[in-house]
PDB file of all heavy atoms in Angstrom:
ATOM      1  N   ASP A  18      92.235   7.070  56.877  1.00  0.00           N
ATOM      2  CA  ASP A  18      92.853   5.840  57.416  1.00  0.00           C
ATOM      3  C   ASP A  18      94.323   5.778  57.113  1.00  0.00           C
ATOM      4  O   ASP A  18      95.167   5.362  57.953  1.00  0.00           O
ATOM      5  CB  ASP A  18      92.145   4.604  56.806  1.00  0.00           C
ATOM      6  CG  ASP A  18      90.731   4.440  57.364  1.00  0.00           C
ATOM      7  OD1 ASP A  18      90.340   5.121  58.351  1.00  0.00           O
ATOM      8  OD2 ASP A  18      89.987   3.613  56.785  1.00  0.00           O
ATOM      9  N   GLU A  19      94.686   6.135  55.905  1.00  0.00           N
ATOM     10  CA  GLU A  19      96.145   6.187  55.501  1.00  0.00           C
ATOM     11  C   GLU A  19      96.883   7.199  56.351  1.00  0.00           C
ATOM     12  O   GLU A  19      98.037   6.934  56.815  1.00  0.00           O
ATOM     13  CB  GLU A  19      96.292   6.494  54.015  1.00  0.00           C
ATOM     14  CG  GLU A  19      95.833   5.360  53.134  1.00  0.00           C
ATOM     15  CD  GLU A  19      95.835   5.714  51.646  1.00  0.00           C
ATOM     16  OE1 GLU A  19      96.091   6.896  51.304  1.00  0.00           O
ATOM     17  OE2 GLU A  19      95.663   4.809  50.858  1.00  0.00           O
ATOM     18  N   LEU A  20      96.285   8.362  56.591  1.00  0.00           N
ATOM     19  CA  LEU A  20      96.906   9.401  57.431  1.00  0.00           C
ATOM     20  C   LEU A  20      97.108   8.904  58.863  1.00  0.00           C
ATOM     21  O   LEU A  20      98.156   9.103  59.443  1.00  0.00           O
ATOM     22  CB  LEU A  20      96.096  10.663  57.405  1.00  0.00           C
ATOM     23  CG  LEU A  20      96.598  11.823  58.264  1.00  0.00           C
ATOM     24  CD1 LEU A  20      97.939  12.313  57.816  1.00  0.00           C
ATOM     25  CD2 LEU A  20      95.602  12.976  58.183  1.00  0.00           C
ATOM     26  N   ASP A  21      96.070   8.258  59.363  1.00  0.00           N
ATOM     27  CA  ASP A  21      96.128   7.721  60.745  1.00  0.00           C
ATOM     28  C   ASP A  21      97.252   6.668  60.886  1.00  0.00           C
ATOM     29  O   ASP A  21      97.938   6.591  61.936  1.00  0.00           O
ATOM     30  CB  ASP A  21      94.819   7.158  61.237  1.00  0.00           C
ATOM     31  CG  ASP A  21      93.807   8.253  61.511  1.00  0.00           C
ATOM     32  OD1 ASP A  21      94.182   9.473  61.551  1.00  0.00           O
ATOM     33  OD2 ASP A  21      92.601   7.926  61.668  1.00  0.00           O
ATOM     34  N   ASP A  22      97.445   5.864  59.825  1.00  0.00           N
ATOM     35  CA  ASP A  22      98.554   4.896  59.834  1.00  0.00           C
ATOM     36  C   ASP A  22      99.861   5.596  59.858  1.00  0.00           C
ATOM     37  O   ASP A  22     100.822   5.214  60.621  1.00  0.00           O
ATOM     38  CB  ASP A  22      98.431   3.972  58.581  1.00  0.00           C
ATOM     39  CG  ASP A  22      99.469   2.897  58.607  1.00  0.00           C
ATOM     40  OD1 ASP A  22      99.544   2.117  59.581  1.00  0.00           O
ATOM     41  OD2 ASP A  22     100.202   2.774  57.611  1.00  0.00           O
ATOM     42  N   LYS A  23     100.054   6.652  59.088  1.00  0.00           N
ATOM     43  CA  LYS A  23     101.303   7.444  59.091  1.00  0.00           C
ATOM     44  C   LYS A  23     101.511   8.123  60.405  1.00  0.00           C
ATOM     45  O   LYS A  23     102.661   8.215  60.894  1.00  0.00           O
ATOM     46  CB  LYS A  23     101.262   8.471  57.954  1.00  0.00           C
ATOM     47  CG  LYS A  23     101.309   7.819  56.573  1.00  0.00           C
ATOM     48  CD  LYS A  23     101.211   8.911  55.503  1.00  0.00           C
ATOM     49  CE  LYS A  23     101.244   8.259  54.145  1.00  0.00           C
ATOM     50  NZ  LYS A  23     101.161   9.277  53.060  1.00  0.00           N
ATOM     51  N   ILE A  24     100.450   8.594  61.019  1.00  0.00           N
ATOM     52  CA  ILE A  24     100.569   9.239  62.353  1.00  0.00           C
ATOM     53  C   ILE A  24     101.057   8.196  63.358  1.00  0.00           C
ATOM     54  O   ILE A  24     101.974   8.473  64.158  1.00  0.00           O
ATOM     55  CB  ILE A  24      99.189   9.802  62.788  1.00  0.00           C
ATOM     56  CG1 ILE A  24      98.857  11.028  61.947  1.00  0.00           C
ATOM     57  CG2 ILE A  24      99.263  10.237  64.294  1.00  0.00           C
ATOM     58  CD1 ILE A  24      97.431  11.500  62.102  1.00  0.00           C
ATOM     59  N   ALA A  25     100.478   7.035  63.355  1.00  0.00           N
ATOM     60  CA  ALA A  25     100.914   5.949  64.310  1.00  0.00           C
ATOM     61  C   ALA A  25     102.380   5.603  64.121  1.00  0.00           C
ATOM     62  O   ALA A  25     103.106   5.464  65.084  1.00  0.00           O
ATOM     63  CB  ALA A  25     100.046   4.724  64.143  1.00  0.00           C
ATOM     64  N   LYS A  26     102.825   5.530  62.880  1.00  0.00           N
ATOM     65  CA  LYS A  26     104.216   5.218  62.589  1.00  0.00           C
ATOM     66  C   LYS A  26     105.134   6.358  63.052  1.00  0.00           C
ATOM     67  O   LYS A  26     106.200   6.112  63.644  1.00  0.00           O
ATOM     68  CB  LYS A  26     104.440   4.924  61.108  1.00  0.00           C
ATOM     69  CG  LYS A  26     103.823   3.622  60.679  1.00  0.00           C
ATOM     70  CD  LYS A  26     103.918   3.399  59.197  1.00  0.00           C
ATOM     71  CE  LYS A  26     103.262   2.080  58.817  1.00  0.00           C
ATOM     72  NZ  LYS A  26     103.322   1.914  57.384  1.00  0.00           N
ATOM     73  N   LEU A  27     104.718   7.580  62.805  1.00  0.00           N
ATOM     74  CA  LEU A  27     105.548   8.775  63.218  1.00  0.00           C
ATOM     75  C   LEU A  27     105.624   8.829  64.768  1.00  0.00           C
ATOM     76  O   LEU A  27     106.644   9.059  65.323  1.00  0.00           O
ATOM     77  CB  LEU A  27     104.973  10.056  62.658  1.00  0.00           C
ATOM     78  CG  LEU A  27     105.740  11.305  62.967  1.00  0.00           C
ATOM     79  CD1 LEU A  27     107.237  11.223  62.701  1.00  0.00           C
ATOM     80  CD2 LEU A  27     105.111  12.496  62.269  1.00  0.00           C
ATOM     81  N   GLU A  28     104.468   8.584  65.408  1.00  0.00           N
ATOM     82  CA  GLU A  28     104.459   8.605  66.897  1.00  0.00           C
ATOM     83  C   GLU A  28     105.339   7.538  67.448  1.00  0.00           C
ATOM     84  O   GLU A  28     106.043   7.770  68.465  1.00  0.00           O
ATOM     85  CB  GLU A  28     103.002   8.497  67.397  1.00  0.00           C
ATOM     86  CG  GLU A  28     102.223   9.680  67.182  1.00  0.00           C
ATOM     87  CD  GLU A  28     100.766   9.608  67.581  1.00  0.00           C
ATOM     88  OE1 GLU A  28     100.212   8.474  67.646  1.00  0.00           O
ATOM     89  OE2 GLU A  28     100.155  10.662  67.817  1.00  0.00           O
ATOM     90  N   ALA A  29     105.337   6.365  66.824  1.00  0.00           N
ATOM     91  CA  ALA A  29     106.224   5.289  67.270  1.00  0.00           C
ATOM     92  C   ALA A  29     107.693   5.726  67.124  1.00  0.00           C
ATOM     93  O   ALA A  29     108.547   5.438  67.983  1.00  0.00           O
ATOM     94  CB  ALA A  29     105.944   4.010  66.489  1.00  0.00           C
ATOM     95  N   PHE A  30     108.002   6.332  65.970  1.00  0.00           N
ATOM     96  CA  PHE A  30     109.348   6.819  65.756  1.00  0.00           C
ATOM     97  C   PHE A  30     109.752   7.843  66.774  1.00  0.00           C
ATOM     98  O   PHE A  30     110.852   7.820  67.298  1.00  0.00           O
ATOM     99  CB  PHE A  30     109.531   7.397  64.332  1.00  0.00           C
ATOM    100  CG  PHE A  30     110.864   7.886  64.039  1.00  0.00           C
ATOM    101  CD1 PHE A  30     111.963   7.059  63.894  1.00  0.00           C
ATOM    102  CD2 PHE A  30     111.078   9.284  63.962  1.00  0.00           C
ATOM    103  CE1 PHE A  30     113.235   7.573  63.652  1.00  0.00           C
ATOM    104  CE2 PHE A  30     112.378   9.778  63.708  1.00  0.00           C
ATOM    105  CZ  PHE A  30     113.422   8.934  63.558  1.00  0.00           C
ATOM    106  N   ILE A  31     108.847   8.801  67.064  1.00  0.00           N
ATOM    107  CA  ILE A  31     109.116   9.824  68.054  1.00  0.00           C
ATOM    108  C   ILE A  31     109.420   9.229  69.410  1.00  0.00           C
ATOM    109  O   ILE A  31     110.234   9.780  70.156  1.00  0.00           O
ATOM    110  CB  ILE A  31     107.968  10.820  68.099  1.00  0.00           C
ATOM    111  CG1 ILE A  31     107.975  11.664  66.831  1.00  0.00           C
ATOM    112  CG2 ILE A  31     108.041  11.754  69.318  1.00  0.00           C
ATOM    113  CD1 ILE A  31     106.732  12.555  66.645  1.00  0.00           C
ATOM    114  N   GLY A  32     108.859   8.076  69.709  1.00  0.00           N
ATOM    115  CA  GLY A  32     109.150   7.422  70.989  1.00  0.00           C
ATOM    116  C   GLY A  32     110.329   6.527  70.967  1.00  0.00           C
ATOM    117  O   GLY A  32     110.627   5.856  71.981  1.00  0.00           O
ATOM    118  N   SER A  33     111.063   6.478  69.879  1.00  0.00           N
ATOM    119  CA  SER A  33     112.214   5.596  69.768  1.00  0.00           C
ATOM    120  C   SER A  33     113.552   6.261  70.060  1.00  0.00           C
ATOM    121  O   SER A  33     113.653   7.488  70.120  1.00  0.00           O
ATOM    122  CB  SER A  33     112.264   5.030  68.300  1.00  0.00           C
ATOM    123  OG  SER A  33     112.734   6.022  67.470  1.00  0.00           O
ATOM    124  N   THR A  34     114.558   5.456  70.243  1.00  0.00           N
ATOM    125  CA  THR A  34     115.897   5.989  70.471  1.00  0.00           C
ATOM    126  C   THR A  34     116.466   6.589  69.212  1.00  0.00           C
ATOM    127  O   THR A  34     117.281   7.524  69.318  1.00  0.00           O
ATOM    128  CB  THR A  34     116.843   4.872  70.999  1.00  0.00           C
ATOM    129  OG1 THR A  34     116.870   3.813  70.055  1.00  0.00           O
ATOM    130  CG2 THR A  34     116.415   4.365  72.377  1.00  0.00           C
ATOM    131  N   ARG A  35     116.040   6.160  68.059  1.00  0.00           N
ATOM    132  CA  ARG A  35     116.520   6.748  66.821  1.00  0.00           C
ATOM    133  C   ARG A  35     116.105   8.245  66.744  1.00  0.00           C
ATOM    134  O   ARG A  35     116.854   9.064  66.274  1.00  0.00           O
ATOM    135  CB  ARG A  35     115.952   5.998  65.607  1.00  0.00           C
ATOM    136  CG  ARG A  35     116.618   4.695  65.383  1.00  0.00           C
ATOM    137  CD  ARG A  35     116.086   3.882  64.199  1.00  0.00           C
ATOM    138  NE  ARG A  35     115.969   4.698  62.974  1.00  0.00           N
ATOM    139  CZ  ARG A  35     115.042   4.465  62.047  1.00  0.00           C
ATOM    140  NH1 ARG A  35     114.212   3.444  62.158  1.00  0.00           N
ATOM    141  NH2 ARG A  35     114.979   5.211  60.976  1.00  0.00           N
ATOM    142  N   PHE A  36     114.907   8.514  67.234  1.00  0.00           N
ATOM    143  CA  PHE A  36     114.440   9.941  67.276  1.00  0.00           C
ATOM    144  C   PHE A  36     115.329  10.736  68.185  1.00  0.00           C
ATOM    145  O   PHE A  36     115.702  11.861  67.845  1.00  0.00           O
ATOM    146  CB  PHE A  36     112.976   9.970  67.775  1.00  0.00           C
ATOM    147  CG  PHE A  36     112.447  11.340  67.960  1.00  0.00           C
ATOM    148  CD1 PHE A  36     112.031  12.114  66.889  1.00  0.00           C
ATOM    149  CD2 PHE A  36     112.320  11.890  69.223  1.00  0.00           C
ATOM    150  CE1 PHE A  36     111.516  13.385  67.059  1.00  0.00           C
ATOM    151  CE2 PHE A  36     111.840  13.193  69.389  1.00  0.00           C
ATOM    152  CZ  PHE A  36     111.420  13.910  68.336  1.00  0.00           C
ATOM    153  N   GLU A  37     115.662  10.192  69.336  1.00  0.00           N
ATOM    154  CA  GLU A  37     116.525  10.898  70.313  1.00  0.00           C
ATOM    155  C   GLU A  37     117.902  11.185  69.729  1.00  0.00           C
ATOM    156  O   GLU A  37     118.559  12.129  70.160  1.00  0.00           O
ATOM    157  CB  GLU A  37     116.634  10.112  71.619  1.00  0.00           C
ATOM    158  CG  GLU A  37     115.296   9.972  72.347  1.00  0.00           C
ATOM    159  CD  GLU A  37     114.727  11.353  72.750  1.00  0.00           C
ATOM    160  OE1 GLU A  37     115.496  12.265  73.135  1.00  0.00           O
ATOM    161  OE2 GLU A  37     113.494  11.476  72.660  1.00  0.00           O
ATOM    162  N   ASN A  38     118.318  10.418  68.741  1.00  0.00           N
ATOM    163  CA  ASN A  38     119.653  10.629  68.190  1.00  0.00           C
ATOM    164  C   ASN A  38     119.651  11.746  67.085  1.00  0.00           C
ATOM    165  O   ASN A  38     120.693  12.150  66.614  1.00  0.00           O
ATOM    166  CB  ASN A  38     120.163   9.337  67.526  1.00  0.00           C
ATOM    167  CG  ASN A  38     120.523   8.309  68.562  1.00  0.00           C
ATOM    168  OD1 ASN A  38     120.899   8.645  69.709  1.00  0.00           O
ATOM    169  ND2 ASN A  38     120.389   7.033  68.243  1.00  0.00           N
ATOM    170  N   LEU A  39     118.460  12.237  66.747  1.00  0.00           N
ATOM    171  CA  LEU A  39     118.404  13.308  65.771  1.00  0.00           C
ATOM    172  C   LEU A  39     118.771  14.607  66.408  1.00  0.00           C
ATOM    173  O   LEU A  39     118.662  14.783  67.648  1.00  0.00           O
ATOM    174  CB  LEU A  39     116.963  13.468  65.208  1.00  0.00           C
ATOM    175  CG  LEU A  39     116.443  12.297  64.384  1.00  0.00           C
ATOM    176  CD1 LEU A  39     114.988  12.567  64.025  1.00  0.00           C
ATOM    177  CD2 LEU A  39     117.256  12.074  63.101  1.00  0.00           C
ATOM    178  N   ASP A  40     119.164  15.606  65.598  1.00  0.00           N
ATOM    179  CA  ASP A  40     119.466  16.899  66.161  1.00  0.00           C
ATOM    180  C   ASP A  40     118.154  17.584  66.591  1.00  0.00           C
ATOM    181  O   ASP A  40     117.051  17.209  66.150  1.00  0.00           O
ATOM    182  CB  ASP A  40     120.193  17.760  65.106  1.00  0.00           C
ATOM    183  CG  ASP A  40     119.401  18.010  63.865  1.00  0.00           C
ATOM    184  OD1 ASP A  40     119.467  17.156  62.957  1.00  0.00           O
ATOM    185  OD2 ASP A  40     118.688  19.059  63.815  1.00  0.00           O
ATOM    186  N   GLU A  41     118.237  18.564  67.445  1.00  0.00           N
ATOM    187  CA  GLU A  41     117.061  19.204  68.048  1.00  0.00           C
ATOM    188  C   GLU A  41     116.134  19.795  66.993  1.00  0.00           C
ATOM    189  O   GLU A  41     114.934  19.716  67.110  1.00  0.00           O
ATOM    190  CB  GLU A  41     117.531  20.276  69.041  1.00  0.00           C
ATOM    191  CG  GLU A  41     116.364  20.959  69.772  1.00  0.00           C
ATOM    192  CD  GLU A  41     116.814  22.029  70.722  1.00  0.00           C
ATOM    193  OE1 GLU A  41     118.011  22.257  70.927  1.00  0.00           O
ATOM    194  OE2 GLU A  41     115.935  22.658  71.304  1.00  0.00           O
ATOM    195  N   ARG A  42     116.722  20.392  65.991  1.00  0.00           N
ATOM    196  CA  ARG A  42     115.883  21.047  64.934  1.00  0.00           C
ATOM    197  C   ARG A  42     114.963  19.996  64.272  1.00  0.00           C
ATOM    198  O   ARG A  42     113.790  20.277  64.105  1.00  0.00           O
ATOM    199  CB  ARG A  42     116.811  21.655  63.913  1.00  0.00           C
ATOM    200  CG  ARG A  42     116.083  22.352  62.822  1.00  0.00           C
ATOM    201  CD  ARG A  42     117.123  23.007  61.875  1.00  0.00           C
ATOM    202  NE  ARG A  42     116.470  23.726  60.814  1.00  0.00           N
ATOM    203  CZ  ARG A  42     117.076  24.168  59.728  1.00  0.00           C
ATOM    204  NH1 ARG A  42     118.388  23.994  59.609  1.00  0.00           N
ATOM    205  NH2 ARG A  42     116.471  24.813  58.801  1.00  0.00           N
ATOM    206  N   ASN A  43     115.530  18.858  63.877  1.00  0.00           N
ATOM    207  CA  ASN A  43     114.705  17.814  63.246  1.00  0.00           C
ATOM    208  C   ASN A  43     113.673  17.224  64.196  1.00  0.00           C
ATOM    209  O   ASN A  43     112.569  16.919  63.802  1.00  0.00           O
ATOM    210  CB  ASN A  43     115.612  16.787  62.664  1.00  0.00           C
ATOM    211  CG  ASN A  43     116.116  17.148  61.295  1.00  0.00           C
ATOM    212  OD1 ASN A  43     115.328  17.391  60.366  1.00  0.00           O
ATOM    213  ND2 ASN A  43     117.444  17.185  61.102  1.00  0.00           N
ATOM    214  N   ARG A  44     114.081  17.062  65.489  1.00  0.00           N
ATOM    215  CA  ARG A  44     113.104  16.558  66.452  1.00  0.00           C
ATOM    216  C   ARG A  44     111.903  17.496  66.566  1.00  0.00           C
ATOM    217  O   ARG A  44     110.769  17.052  66.587  1.00  0.00           O
ATOM    218  CB  ARG A  44     113.773  16.360  67.824  1.00  0.00           C
ATOM    219  CG  ARG A  44     114.742  15.154  67.854  1.00  0.00           C
ATOM    220  CD  ARG A  44     115.107  14.764  69.281  1.00  0.00           C
ATOM    221  NE  ARG A  44     115.501  15.896  70.112  1.00  0.00           N
ATOM    222  CZ  ARG A  44     116.826  16.257  70.284  1.00  0.00           C
ATOM    223  NH1 ARG A  44     117.737  15.611  69.680  1.00  0.00           N
ATOM    224  NH2 ARG A  44     117.099  17.293  71.028  1.00  0.00           N
ATOM    225  N   LYS A  45     112.187  18.816  66.680  1.00  0.00           N
ATOM    226  CA  LYS A  45     111.106  19.773  66.811  1.00  0.00           C
ATOM    227  C   LYS A  45     110.195  19.756  65.537  1.00  0.00           C
ATOM    228  O   LYS A  45     108.970  19.891  65.647  1.00  0.00           O
ATOM    229  CB  LYS A  45     111.663  21.140  67.032  1.00  0.00           C
ATOM    230  CG  LYS A  45     112.181  21.369  68.426  1.00  0.00           C
ATOM    231  CD  LYS A  45     112.697  22.761  68.609  1.00  0.00           C
ATOM    232  CE  LYS A  45     113.216  23.004  70.062  1.00  0.00           C
ATOM    233  NZ  LYS A  45     113.658  24.348  70.292  1.00  0.00           N
ATOM    234  N   LEU A  46     110.829  19.689  64.374  1.00  0.00           N
ATOM    235  CA  LEU A  46     110.062  19.673  63.146  1.00  0.00           C
ATOM    236  C   LEU A  46     109.173  18.434  63.030  1.00  0.00           C
ATOM    237  O   LEU A  46     108.030  18.525  62.610  1.00  0.00           O
ATOM    238  CB  LEU A  46     110.984  19.743  61.976  1.00  0.00           C
ATOM    239  CG  LEU A  46     111.634  21.101  61.696  1.00  0.00           C
ATOM    240  CD1 LEU A  46     112.735  21.027  60.628  1.00  0.00           C
ATOM    241  CD2 LEU A  46     110.586  22.109  61.273  1.00  0.00           C
ATOM    242  N   LEU A  47     109.703  17.277  63.427  1.00  0.00           N
ATOM    243  CA  LEU A  47     108.893  16.043  63.386  1.00  0.00           C
ATOM    244  C   LEU A  47     107.734  16.089  64.400  1.00  0.00           C
ATOM    245  O   LEU A  47     106.600  15.684  64.075  1.00  0.00           O
ATOM    246  CB  LEU A  47     109.750  14.853  63.632  1.00  0.00           C
ATOM    247  CG  LEU A  47     110.638  14.381  62.437  1.00  0.00           C
ATOM    248  CD1 LEU A  47     111.616  13.359  62.881  1.00  0.00           C
ATOM    249  CD2 LEU A  47     109.799  13.950  61.290  1.00  0.00           C
ATOM    250  N   VAL A  48     107.947  16.654  65.568  1.00  0.00           N
ATOM    251  CA  VAL A  48     106.858  16.809  66.543  1.00  0.00           C
ATOM    252  C   VAL A  48     105.799  17.743  66.014  1.00  0.00           C
ATOM    253  O   VAL A  48     104.602  17.485  66.117  1.00  0.00           O
ATOM    254  CB  VAL A  48     107.414  17.273  67.893  1.00  0.00           C
ATOM    255  CG1 VAL A  48     106.274  17.645  68.835  1.00  0.00           C
ATOM    256  CG2 VAL A  48     108.262  16.155  68.523  1.00  0.00           C
ATOM    257  N   ALA A  49     106.214  18.844  65.391  1.00  0.00           N
ATOM    258  CA  ALA A  49     105.307  19.790  64.786  1.00  0.00           C
ATOM    259  C   ALA A  49     104.531  19.119  63.643  1.00  0.00           C
ATOM    260  O   ALA A  49     103.319  19.291  63.533  1.00  0.00           O
ATOM    261  CB  ALA A  49     106.037  21.034  64.294  1.00  0.00           C
ATOM    262  N   GLN A  50     105.260  18.360  62.829  1.00  0.00           N
ATOM    263  CA  GLN A  50     104.564  17.676  61.724  1.00  0.00           C
ATOM    264  C   GLN A  50     103.529  16.729  62.249  1.00  0.00           C
ATOM    265  O   GLN A  50     102.375  16.640  61.731  1.00  0.00           O
ATOM    266  CB  GLN A  50     105.604  16.907  60.906  1.00  0.00           C
ATOM    267  CG  GLN A  50     105.026  16.090  59.810  1.00  0.00           C
ATOM    268  CD  GLN A  50     106.131  15.352  59.033  1.00  0.00           C
ATOM    269  OE1 GLN A  50     107.227  15.851  58.841  1.00  0.00           O
ATOM    270  NE2 GLN A  50     105.789  14.171  58.505  1.00  0.00           N
ATOM    271  N   CYS A  51     103.806  16.008  63.323  1.00  0.00           N
ATOM    272  CA  CYS A  51     102.899  15.086  63.907  1.00  0.00           C
ATOM    273  C   CYS A  51     101.605  15.805  64.387  1.00  0.00           C
ATOM    274  O   CYS A  51     100.498  15.324  64.188  1.00  0.00           O
ATOM    275  CB  CYS A  51     103.535  14.280  65.034  1.00  0.00           C
ATOM    276  SG  CYS A  51     102.589  12.875  65.596  1.00  0.00           S
ATOM    277  N   GLY A  52     101.836  16.948  64.982  1.00  0.00           N
ATOM    278  CA  GLY A  52     100.695  17.724  65.472  1.00  0.00           C
ATOM    279  C   GLY A  52      99.767  18.179  64.337  1.00  0.00           C
ATOM    280  O   GLY A  52      98.540  18.148  64.389  1.00  0.00           O
ATOM    281  N   VAL A  53     100.402  18.598  63.221  1.00  0.00           N
ATOM    282  CA  VAL A  53      99.622  19.069  62.071  1.00  0.00           C
ATOM    283  C   VAL A  53      98.899  17.850  61.450  1.00  0.00           C
ATOM    284  O   VAL A  53      97.694  17.981  61.041  1.00  0.00           O
ATOM    285  CB  VAL A  53     100.551  19.707  61.058  1.00  0.00           C
ATOM    286  CG1 VAL A  53      99.792  20.010  59.693  1.00  0.00           C
ATOM    287  CG2 VAL A  53     101.076  21.014  61.592  1.00  0.00           C
ATOM    288  N   MET A  54      99.504  16.733  61.399  1.00  0.00           N
ATOM    289  CA  MET A  54      98.875  15.548  60.877  1.00  0.00           C
ATOM    290  C   MET A  54      97.685  15.171  61.706  1.00  0.00           C
ATOM    291  O   MET A  54      96.623  14.751  61.205  1.00  0.00           O
ATOM    292  CB  MET A  54      99.900  14.425  60.776  1.00  0.00           C
ATOM    293  CG  MET A  54     100.942  14.603  59.702  1.00  0.00           C
ATOM    294  SD  MET A  54     102.357  13.440  59.798  1.00  0.00           S
ATOM    295  CE  MET A  54     101.575  11.954  59.224  1.00  0.00           C
ATOM    296  N   ARG A  55      97.791  15.226  63.032  1.00  0.00           N
ATOM    297  CA  ARG A  55      96.687  14.931  63.905  1.00  0.00           C
ATOM    298  C   ARG A  55      95.529  15.878  63.671  1.00  0.00           C
ATOM    299  O   ARG A  55      94.335  15.449  63.621  1.00  0.00           O
ATOM    300  CB  ARG A  55      97.105  14.969  65.384  1.00  0.00           C
ATOM    301  CG  ARG A  55      97.854  13.747  65.812  1.00  0.00           C
ATOM    302  CD  ARG A  55      97.961  13.717  67.361  1.00  0.00           C
ATOM    303  NE  ARG A  55      99.304  13.350  67.712  1.00  0.00           N
ATOM    304  CZ  ARG A  55     100.196  14.064  68.335  1.00  0.00           C
ATOM    305  NH1 ARG A  55      99.913  15.256  68.723  1.00  0.00           N
ATOM    306  NH2 ARG A  55     101.400  13.601  68.604  1.00  0.00           N
ATOM    307  N   ARG A  56      95.837  17.133  63.474  1.00  0.00           N
ATOM    308  CA  ARG A  56      94.767  18.131  63.266  1.00  0.00           C
ATOM    309  C   ARG A  56      94.105  17.842  61.932  1.00  0.00           C
ATOM    310  O   ARG A  56      92.882  17.972  61.809  1.00  0.00           O
ATOM    311  CB  ARG A  56      95.405  19.550  63.252  1.00  0.00           C
ATOM    312  CG  ARG A  56      94.448  20.651  62.976  1.00  0.00           C
ATOM    313  CD  ARG A  56      93.504  20.863  64.126  1.00  0.00           C
ATOM    314  NE  ARG A  56      92.650  22.006  63.802  1.00  0.00           N
ATOM    315  CZ  ARG A  56      91.338  22.030  63.947  1.00  0.00           C
ATOM    316  NH1 ARG A  56      90.722  20.955  64.432  1.00  0.00           N
ATOM    317  NH2 ARG A  56      90.641  22.989  63.604  1.00  0.00           N
ATOM    318  N   TYR A  57      94.861  17.492  60.881  1.00  0.00           N
ATOM    319  CA  TYR A  57      94.316  17.140  59.635  1.00  0.00           C
ATOM    320  C   TYR A  57      93.400  15.972  59.729  1.00  0.00           C
ATOM    321  O   TYR A  57      92.317  15.977  59.147  1.00  0.00           O
ATOM    322  CB  TYR A  57      95.481  16.903  58.619  1.00  0.00           C
ATOM    323  CG  TYR A  57      95.130  16.584  57.236  1.00  0.00           C
ATOM    324  CD1 TYR A  57      93.975  17.027  56.614  1.00  0.00           C
ATOM    325  CD2 TYR A  57      95.998  15.841  56.462  1.00  0.00           C
ATOM    326  CE1 TYR A  57      93.649  16.705  55.282  1.00  0.00           C
ATOM    327  CE2 TYR A  57      95.717  15.484  55.128  1.00  0.00           C
ATOM    328  CZ  TYR A  57      94.551  15.950  54.575  1.00  0.00           C
ATOM    329  OH  TYR A  57      94.279  15.642  53.239  1.00  0.00           O
ATOM    330  N   SER A  58      93.804  14.965  60.473  1.00  0.00           N
ATOM    331  CA  SER A  58      92.964  13.784  60.694  1.00  0.00           C
ATOM    332  C   SER A  58      91.643  14.207  61.348  1.00  0.00           C
ATOM    333  O   SER A  58      90.550  13.679  61.010  1.00  0.00           O
ATOM    334  CB  SER A  58      93.705  12.772  61.565  1.00  0.00           C
ATOM    335  OG  SER A  58      92.850  11.639  61.742  1.00  0.00           O
ATOM    336  N   THR A  59      91.686  15.113  62.310  1.00  0.00           N
ATOM    337  CA  THR A  59      90.468  15.554  62.994  1.00  0.00           C
ATOM    338  C   THR A  59      89.571  16.249  62.001  1.00  0.00           C
ATOM    339  O   THR A  59      88.356  16.029  62.019  1.00  0.00           O
ATOM    340  CB  THR A  59      90.848  16.505  64.166  1.00  0.00           C
ATOM    341  OG1 THR A  59      91.653  15.802  65.104  1.00  0.00           O
ATOM    342  CG2 THR A  59      89.613  17.127  64.833  1.00  0.00           C
TER     343      THR A  59
END
């Protein structure tokens, strides 16, 4: 449940303009992190 809450917050951030203002390297890392977190939840 705690992990799913963090995933929801990260996905909301990824959909925000603040995310778009990050450099490409950090955007890719955060998207990869989100994917791993989803797999962990599964």
Side-chain angles (χ1 to χ4, degrees):
D18 291 347
E19 289 174 352
L20 178 60
D21 287 349
D22 183 55
K23 291 177 183 181
I24 291 168
K26 290 176 181 177
L27 180 53
E28 288 176 336
F30 178 72
I31 288 172
S33 73
T34 55
R35 286 179 47 208
F36 175 79
E37 293 302 321
N38 291 331
L39 295 175
D40 61 274
E41 182 179 358
R42 181 179 181 191
N43 277 302
R44 287 194 311 267
K45 286 182 178 182
L46 287 169
L47 284 171
V48 169
Q50 177 180 326
C51 192
V53 171
M54 290 168 72
R55 281 193 222 116
R56 179 71 178 131
Y57 182 28
S58 179
T59 299

